Amino acid sequence: RLYLLKSSRMSVLTESLRKIREEMDSDRPLSVDTGKSQHAWLVAAVQAYVEHRIGGNVTLKAIADKVGLHEDHLGRVFHEETGTYFSDFVLERRMAEARTRLSAGAASVADVANLVGYTSSQNFARAFQKRWGQSPSQLLRRPAVHED
């Protein structure tokens, strides 16, 4: 399904995305390949927003409200562009960030859970175990490998 937006609606979306970008307070530029499809820039902006806010309460509804779209429509566009559901994308990004932080060994499991947006360490541990096949504690206890 292809959705076309009226030019007046497009300007509202562009302004909303500009506001999101400003809110991100990031030094990272948004790199968007507009040659892929009509909605690639929107999906790339949503992905960048999620990356920057991974520790917060990132919901499709909140992002859709910011850009003036219905959450179902934004969810469909996201899935059509990426082949991944929005919630799966957020979960994967959280788990990847958690694994990176735990591998560095600089924070406790509870701290990492909080940093990636979980309010419950138990829920975090369950999701981590399911994704990586080991508990966060096991990864944290694993000795560092030094290359010579």
Side-chain angles (χ1 to χ4, degrees), residues 40-126:
W41 61 272
L42 174 62
V43 170
V46 168
Q47 289 173 322
Y49 184 83
V50 168
E51 289 287 338
H52 186 75
R53 299 275 190 227
I54 202 68
N57 186 15
V58 180
T59 66
L60 187 60
K61 178 163 179 31
I63 296 172
D65 288 347
K66 284 186 182 294
V67 297
L69 292 174
H70 191 278
E71 69 180 298
D72 292 343
H73 175 66
L74 183 57
R76 272 191 302 277
V77 167
F78 191 91
H79 185 257
E80 287 170 2
E81 288 294 319
T82 65
T84 303
Y85 292 105
F86 176 80
S87 58
D88 293 340
F89 173 75
V90 172
L91 177 63
E92 181 59 30
R93 297 312 312 137
R94 284 183 169 154
M95 292 296 106
E97 181 67 18
R99 187 172 191 194
T100 298
R101 289 181 181 264
L102 289 168
S103 294
S108 70
V109 172
D111 288 342
V112 171
N114 191 25
L115 286 169
V116 297
Y118 281 81
T119 55
S120 164
S121 294
Q122 291 81 12
N123 287 342
F124 167 72
R126 211 174 357 266

